[in-house]
Amino acid sequence: MRMRRPRTLVRLVLTTGLVASLATAAAGASAADPAPETGATKSDNITHLASVPMTGPLAGSVNTDIAFAGKKAYVGNYNGFQIYDIANPAKPTLISQVHCPGSQNDVSVYAGLLFLSTDSSRSDSSCQSVPQSATIKESWEGIKIFDVRDPANPKYIAAVETHCGSHTHTLVPDKRGKSVYVYNSSYFPRDTFPDCLPPGDKIDIVKVPLKEPAKAAVVASPVLFPDGGFPGSPTGTATSGCHDITAFPSKNIAAAACMGDGVLLDISKPEAPKVIDRVQDAANFAFWHGATFNGNGTKVVFQDELGGGGGAECTPEVGPNKGATAIFDIKKRKLVFQSYYKIARHQLDTENCVAHNGSLIPVPGRDIVVQAWYQGGFSVWDFTDSKRPKEIGFFDRPAIEPESFGGYWSVYYYNGAIYGTESVKAFDVFKIKDRRTDLANLVKLKELNVQTQPALWR
């Protein structure tokens, strides 16, 4: 999502202490029955299991990304984050909420730690901070770190400032198991931002010692675009940073979606990633937004967030190749374009709709993803044949009236269920029952950060 505002960053700030959380006693904190689906359209293989409305200090804001560990789901929100018990996917229960404003608040979870991206310029690193102009050098943006081993009582333990804030981040575990690296992505530098000056051609890498996370710090800021990257076009955004990076650690590779460029990285040395290959698509891609590998790291799909997430890009006028997902085979460490995929259900010109966050459905021998399309709902599609992707399931609620932003931000598969953040409404759960995806039920993960993909098969 590309909802931008002024931003900046300064020095490393460490904050320790208990962050107040709100228990599930709040009204509407759990859902025993699905929300009404009046007017929704869906395929027969999709069942809507549950919908938990936003409550407390997070209500009225925007739900963002999702991470999973064990039987818990961690949901980001522009006002903080929330933790759900998903032991019974049909009855998710809110465990706690943390009020800690700072867009987008994308989340990842690893070894009892939760990482939160702050990409709005704040007065300081605390959860009590207020917005402050990015033109003020002392303003703060970056990565916040919480101890969530007790999900009912998360503790804020550290903060690390990064260049240009933190729009999204990606975890790359140290192979020795002693640390985790956080690849930080952000963009849109300005001459008036003292800590976020152009050209914005680098990423920040934060190293977090697992036994002493309060010592987390930026250890490298490698330049990915020494030549400046994509210069921009009438329809495409010039590269001035990366929006999102997806790692495939077992193969020491990562796919970076960097505004005007799609990039394949070698991450065998986590503090010194190197560009292996780079592709551009001036004809059809406006904004390289995110990436998803297949189960063995031989393919990757990139999403184009045409219109920044707020545009109506699923209309006949826009067509099937813009605001879509592009499929690439990885051959001899090169990205080889195969085809585009986009939902065929045209949305109204009042509905924000474009390719957005999705995840692999782990079906052995197949390449299947579930993907969000904002007010276009979500789709389940198969790209086993890279040149002929096809949809095998979908869910689409009616347009929001009166016209406003909304729809599914992230939709991910985890251990037998599909979880989605309906941006301005709820945390939703679905089930897919289909012979083409049923084998995914046999794959059980201990945790899932979608931007850190495990190898599921060779």
Side-chain angles (χ1 to χ4, degrees):
M1 178 59 180
R2 192 154 52 98
M3 299 173 69
R4 304 294 294 175
R5 16 71 339 255
R7 30 69 122 326
T8 191
L9 41 118
V10 210
R11 59 195 179 281
L12 173 69
V13 181
L14 298 182
T15 306
T16 306
L18 181 67
V19 177
S21 57
L22 304 177
T24 51
S30 63
D33 300 301
E37 295 181 13
T38 304
T41 58
K42 67 181 187 67
S43 55
D44 291 340
N45 56 1
I46 299 291
T47 300
H48 191 188
L49 297 179
S51 187
V52 185
M54 286 186 278
T55 60
L58 276 58
S61 189
V62 177
N63 278 335
T64 57
D65 217 2
I66 317 169
F68 304 90
K71 296 180 180 180
K72 307 291 188 297
Y74 303 79
V75 178
N77 179 287
Y78 269 57
N79 275 345
F81 67 90
Q82 50 226 317
I83 304 175
Y84 292 94
D85 185 327
I86 54 171
N88 181 352
K91 295 184 178 181
T93 303
L94 180 65
I95 298 172
S96 63
Q97 293 177 326
V98 172
H99 184 232
C100 196
S103 65
Q104 300 183 138
N105 280 339
D106 274 15
V107 294
S108 293
V109 178
Y110 185 77
L113 300 174
L114 180 141
F115 301 88
L116 197 69
S117 283
T118 299
D119 194 29
S120 56
S121 189
R122 312 292 298 182
S123 57
D124 56 56
S125 66
S126 74
C127 287
Q128 293 74 45
S129 67
V130 296
Q132 181 168 287
S133 173
T135 61
I136 300 172
K137 186 171 178 59
E138 290 70 29
S139 297
W140 187 92
E141 296 177 85
I143 301 283
K144 294 169 181 166
I145 305 173
F146 294 79
D147 182 333
V148 292
R149 287 174 295 178
D150 179 358
N153 294 287
K155 296 179 180 180
Y156 185 7
I157 56 175
V160 182
E161 276 193 301
T162 56
H163 291 94
C164 296
S166 178
H167 195 68
T168 66
H169 66 268
T170 302
L171 303 185
V172 178
D174 173 11
K175 294 186 185 302
R176 297 179 302 167
K178 294 182 178 181
S179 302
V180 64
Y181 290 96
V182 183
Y183 279 30
N184 181 71
S185 298
S186 204
Y187 53 97
F188 280 163
R190 294 185 187 177
D191 291 332
T192 56
F193 296 168
D195 296 297
C196 184
L197 297 171
D201 53 6
K202 59 188 175 184
I203 63 172
D204 286 321
I205 299 175
V206 177
K207 185 176 183 179
V208 184
L210 296 178
K211 290 185 177 181
E212 297 181 279
K215 292 184 177 181
V218 175
V219 293
S221 297
V223 173
L224 299 185
F225 303 98
D227 64 349
F230 183 64
S233 70
T235 57
T237 307
T239 297
S240 62
C242 293
H243 180 278
D244 212 336
I245 300 171
T246 297
F248 200 90
S250 68
K251 279 199 167 183
N252 292 320
I253 57 174
C258 302
M259 304 180 73
D261 291 89
V263 180
L264 187 65
L265 297 173
D266 181 328
I267 59 170
S268 56
K269 297 180 179 179
E271 296 184 20
K274 293 183 178 180
V275 174
I276 304 171
D277 194 25
R278 194 174 87 188
V279 291
Q280 299 170 348
D281 186 350
N284 288 309
F285 258 48
F287 191 91
W288 295 71
H289 174 276
T292 304
F293 288 98
N294 67 342
N296 61 359
T298 60
K299 301 179 184 180
V300 63
V301 301
F302 286 98
Q303 297 88 33
D304 171 26
E305 195 186 35
L306 173 67
E313 313 298 352
C314 298
T315 64
E317 294 76 19
V318 174
N321 296 338
K322 295 183 178 182
T325 300
I327 303 165
F328 290 82
D329 287 352
I330 302 174
K331 297 182 178 180
K332 296 182 179 179
R333 292 164 70 86
K334 295 289 185 181
L335 295 167
V336 182
F337 173 76
Q338 300 298 312
S339 64
Y340 298 104
Y341 169 78
K342 189 175 181 181
I343 55 173
R345 290 172 302 284
H346 292 142
Q347 305 293 303
L348 301 177
D349 59 11
T350 60
E351 292 181 277
N352 60 299
C353 176
V354 74
H356 215 242
N357 296 342
S359 78
L360 194 71
I361 297 181
V363 180
R366 308 293 297 179
D367 301 323
I368 300 175
V369 295
V370 57
Q371 184 180 330
W373 296 86
Y374 285 111
Q375 287 200 64
F378 69 83
S379 59
V380 178
W381 55 282
D382 187 322
F383 63 105
T384 305
D385 183 342
S386 301
K387 291 185 179 296
R388 297 173 180 81
K390 57 183 179 181
E391 184 175 82
I392 61 175
F394 73 93
F395 179 89
D396 185 5
R397 280 205 180 101
I400 297 174
E401 296 181 357
E403 177 185 351
S404 64
F405 169 81
Y408 288 102
W409 179 295
S410 298
V411 181
Y412 298 150
Y413 180 96
Y414 179 68
N415 290 351
I418 293 172
Y419 299 87
T421 42
E422 211 297 343
S423 309
V424 297
K425 293 183 178 180
F427 175 57
D428 282 1
V429 188
F430 298 85
K431 185 81 172 179
I432 183 169
K433 178 63 177 175
D434 190 289
R435 60 176 177 79
R436 294 164 290 189
T437 61
D438 285 347
L439 285 178
N441 295 324
L442 302 178
V443 178
K444 299 299 180 183
L445 301 176
K446 292 182 178 179
E447 64 181 22
L448 178 64
N449 297 296
V450 168
Q451 287 75 34
T452 307
Q453 284 190 235
L456 297 170
W457 45 82
R458 294 182 181 273

